[in-house]
Amino acid sequence: MIDQFDWRSGQARKSLDRILPDVESRYADRIRLAPQQWHNFRQRLHREWERLFIHMHQLYGWQYDFFFTLERTLQSLVKYWLDRPAELKALDEKREADPSWFLSEQMVGGVLYVDLFSENLSKLADYIPYFKDLNLTYLHLMPLFAVPRGDNDGGYAVSDYRAINPDIGTMDELAKLAAALREEGISLVLDFVFNHTSDEHRWAQKAKSGDPDFMAYYYTFADRALPDRFQTYLRDIFPTVRKGSFTWCQEIKRWVWTTFNSYQWDLNYTNPDVFRAMAEDMLFLANQGVEVLRLDAVAFIWKKLGTSCENQPEAHTIIKAFNAMAKIAAPCLLFKSEAIVEPEEVIRYIHPDECQLSYNPLLMALLWEALATREVKLLEHSMRNRYRIPAGCSWVNYIRCHDDIGWTFDDRDARNLGIDPAGHRRFLNQFYTGQFPGSFAKGVPFQFNADTGDVRIAGTLSSLAGLEVALEKQDNELIEQAVRRINLLRSIMMSIGGIPLLYIGDEWGMLNDYTYLTDPAKSNDSRWVHRSKKRWEARDDLSDQDTLEWRFFKEMVKLIRLRKRLPALQNGGMEVVDTGNPHLFGYIRASDSQKILILNNFAETDQQMDAAHLAFCGVKSEAVNLMNGGVLSAGVDIRLHDHQSVWLDIS
Ligand code: GLC
Ligand code: GLC
């Protein structure tokens, strides 16, 4: 809350009154051409400025040249808004008139790597019909910026945010693709990798040449004194690659902060030049037609001695300041938070003034947890207490993504249910790497930490859900069971509330791909097992509709179409219900006009929910199972098959 009597309010107004006339006269020629639009811009500026001022003051108010920072920031806002193409300004207006557009049940997302999927950007446009077949409205292209050759963390080591990797295409092609997607009702989503740059970024190269202005873009240290003090509190993100969070740079003979890989240099946001430069890159990307930016590694962007340097209050302040800037100069832009941290911390990034969207890593991890244990208590308990987010925001629900699976449930939640968190994580890791006796899963360990015993899991949806093992054994019964498991997870992702995000490839059941082991740039990162070049496409394979691929694809499309017909599935409330059965996970979704009870059986046997529990959930008369048209009479028990999911209309 912003306090009305806060002195900063007056200071904010004063500084804007001082700076704006100068900036207006500087851009007078261009402003004169669009008086009405300029008026709208000024309105947004006046609405958001105080907030922006306060956040920036928190970050940089102590620096003697704060006023200069403000002035330059306003200049950037005006310049990038003036450069913003007319179609995007029109979209801004449309979105401002309907700010909850992305909460609709019509939203369905997909994510893919351009190079793996279509080789390059120009060919990607040919696949728009495929995306339309899938009914997508949101397409996330994995990082496609200029990167170092060879290992570049799958594109997350960016050398230039304004240039596309030449193997993939050009910025111009990206803008054209964005327009073509927009035309078809598909919003383009890109990453904003703002925690670090690659060590080949122009800033890093200048820093390496000893330029003090650019050394100040990063955290560099002459000796180990400070790094050692920081290090005691830090966790290793990629422990198999390197110990510790600092890398020796021979050129400047200093230690550089590198949270992820050694070639990913963390940016220093205590420096207002970094803030402004990255904000400009953000507005530049928005002007190419990007509608959602996935804020990568948000947890790590602020460092403070004596802390884990994750989820610091200033990390939130930076994002909120970016949010205010976007609302002024590119108001249709949304942020999606990538905070793969404890559930309590994940939620803190979600707010209309911070990130309107967030991955839901807790749901993702617990779906896999319930699949392994065949019990839903941890899933049920966690979703009952940790699903709610502020109005005007949405979860992005996923089963698999390009990263590993980490078991980020809350330890206290587990203990409350009598589950030992450490032991349970060990079990889950053994289960999903196929070491646990009887496991159906075929996953690959990622980043085993010999000191702590921690490990995370890589693998595709199909392989983790048992399809790979079943196919190897050529066992039809096991194959069918794996198919049911996959459909169960999909059903929850599509219905629980939020934007479902499909990892492209999963729509047709992509299996693990072990060829990464022969590529030296990839072999030490097992996440490549689920980043595959293997292709299948409905349109090419029309001839053989009898394949598993077709089944998966058709089921997926059917489910998406069903979702889009049900207003109850728009974002809003989700109420976990008591099913009275440890294997059944149930919840109610409701809109003004419709109410749906969704039940999911995580057991490998038939399970019942009795009439009394059903009545308690509001099943009063006949209820239609929207999945198959079956009718449930009131007053009787319901029986769910092995891994069945039912969507009961109880309006
Ligand atoms: C994010 C990405 C991950 C990458 C890391 C460093 O977590 O999802 O793939 O390794 O950031 O950029
Ligand atoms: C850690 C980070 C997360 C990142 C992942 C990459 O879990 O918290 O941001 O995506 O590592 O493996």
Side-chain angles (χ1 to χ4, degrees), residues 153 156 196 238 260 264 294 296 338 402-403 527 531:
D153 194 20
Y156 282 99
H196 45 263
F238 294 148
F260 295 90
Q264 288 164 299
R294 170 193 179 275
D296 182 61
E338 191 250 345
H402 69 289
D403 274 334
R527 290 174 297 175
R531 301 170 178 174

Side-chain angles (χ1 to χ4, degrees), residues 297-317:
V298 288
F300 300 91
I301 59 179
W302 193 269
K303 333 285 188 201
K304 198 178 293 159
L305 198 57
T307 74
S308 68
C309 299
E310 290 186 42
N311 308 306
Q312 294 302 302
E314 290 83 353
H316 294 275
T317 309

Side-chain angles (χ1 to χ4, degrees), residues 88-304:
L88 295 175
K89 285 181 178 155
L91 185 66
D92 289 336
E93 281 180 25
K94 188 172 151 201
R95 298 297 197 219
E96 281 192 296
D98 177 20
S100 51
W101 66 277
F102 59 91
L103 306 182
S104 160
E105 72 284 358
Q106 301 302 315
M107 292 297 293
V108 175
V111 50
L112 57 83
Y113 285 91
V114 177
D115 53 343
L116 300 179
F117 183 82
S118 65
E119 245 173 273
N120 58 41
L121 277 174
S122 74
K123 287 191 202 151
L124 191 66
D126 300 342
Y127 291 93
I128 291 179
Y130 184 69
F131 305 140
K132 297 284 286 179
D133 284 349
L134 278 170
N135 291 272
L136 301 187
T137 60
Y138 165 121
L139 184 66
H140 175 192
L141 304 181
M142 293 296 294
L144 36 66
F145 302 105
V147 285
R149 285 238 160 253
D151 190 3
N152 51 48
D153 194 20
Y156 282 99
V158 178
S159 303
D160 185 349
Y161 294 93
R162 299 186 183 216
I164 302 292
N165 177 347
D167 296 341
I168 295 180
T170 64
M171 200 45 91
D172 201 37
E173 283 171 347
L174 181 77
K176 287 210 179 89
L177 179 74
L181 290 169
R182 204 158 54 238
E183 193 69 9
E184 297 292 342
I186 303 174
S187 299
L188 176 64
V189 185
L190 283 195
D191 277 270
F192 188 48
V193 190
F194 70 128
N195 176 68
H196 45 263
T197 71
S198 89
D199 63 348
E200 292 182 12
H201 192 289
R202 186 176 58 89
W203 306 334
Q205 293 197 330
K206 291 217 165 159
K208 279 187 199 169
S209 75
D211 181 330
D213 286 345
F214 286 93
M215 282 166 72
Y217 270 52
Y218 301 94
Y219 291 98
T220 74
F221 306 89
D223 55 44
R224 285 295 309 189
L226 266 174
D228 284 343
R229 288 176 62 200
F230 272 112
Q231 191 67 61
T232 23
Y233 302 92
L234 305 179
R235 68 179 166 123
D236 284 346
I237 305 297
F238 294 148
T240 58
V241 175
R242 191 201 60 222
K243 288 275 167 206
S245 298
F246 301 89
T247 300
W248 177 250
C249 175
Q250 186 54 32
E251 284 93 333
I252 42 176
K253 305 214 161 28
R254 293 174 76 88
W255 292 93
V256 182
W257 198 309
T258 56
T259 299
F260 295 90
N261 289 290
S262 301
Y263 51 79
Q264 288 164 299
W265 288 22
D266 286 47
L267 285 164
N268 175 0
Y269 279 92
T270 64
N271 178 353
D273 292 344
V274 169
F275 173 86
R276 218 189 52 252
M278 288 307 290
E280 289 193 346
D281 281 346
M282 166 185 90
L283 295 175
F284 173 86
L285 291 173
N287 283 355
Q288 309 310 305
V290 178
E291 291 184 50
V292 180
L293 281 177
R294 170 193 179 275
L295 302 194
D296 182 61
V298 288
F300 300 91
I301 59 179
W302 193 269
K303 333 285 188 201
K304 198 178 293 159

Side-chain angles (χ1 to χ4, degrees), residues 393-562:
C393 296
S394 174
W395 286 116
V396 174
N397 295 318
Y398 63 114
I399 312 171
R400 286 301 294 117
C401 71
H402 69 289
D403 274 334
D404 45 291
I405 302 176
W407 307 108
T408 57
F409 54 79
D410 186 273
D411 286 4
R412 285 157 307 175
D413 287 355
R415 281 196 202 98
N416 282 339
L417 299 168
I419 298 170
D420 161 42
H424 201 49
R425 289 195 176 93
R426 250 191 327 273
F427 157 71
L428 291 166
N429 283 326
Q430 286 182 356
F431 189 91
Y432 281 105
T433 49
Q435 295 165 49
F436 191 82
S439 165
F440 51 74
K442 196 151 181 190
V444 182
F446 176 66
Q447 298 298 332
F448 174 67
N449 186 330
D451 297 343
T452 61
D454 282 348
V455 69
R456 277 125 60 199
I457 301 294
T460 65
L461 165 60
S462 290
S463 293
L464 293 175
L467 189 62
E468 191 172 329
V469 169
L471 288 170
E472 276 166 8
K473 291 190 179 154
Q474 298 188 320
D475 181 325
N476 282 332
E477 183 40 41
L478 292 183
I479 292 174
E480 290 308 316
Q481 202 161 53
V483 170
R484 286 195 291 271
R485 278 191 204 102
I486 292 166
N487 286 335
L488 175 73
L489 298 191
R490 286 167 153 193
S491 155
I492 298 173
M493 164 174 81
M494 284 292 155
S495 63
I496 195 165
I499 303 177
L501 179 61
L502 257 175
Y503 187 58
I504 294 294
D506 285 348
E507 76 281 18
W508 55 266
M510 178 174 66
L511 293 170
N512 284 351
D513 177 353
Y514 301 96
T515 53
Y516 77 98
L517 289 167
T518 57
D519 180 344
K522 297 180 173 168
S523 58
N524 70 356
D525 187 334
S526 60
R527 290 174 297 175
W528 287 101
V529 80
H530 54 254
R531 301 170 178 174
S532 172
K533 234 186 161 125
K534 287 208 184 108
R535 286 298 320 275
W536 176 87
E537 204 202 328
R539 280 155 198 278
D540 301 341
D541 294 65
L542 266 174
S543 53
D544 188 8
Q545 299 215 7
D546 210 19
T547 59
L548 265 179
E549 287 84 350
W550 254 106
R551 266 180 74 189
F552 280 123
F553 183 78
K554 275 191 294 203
E555 282 291 322
M556 190 76 260
V557 171
K558 207 173 110 193
L559 201 58
I560 292 174
R561 290 209 182 123
L562 180 58

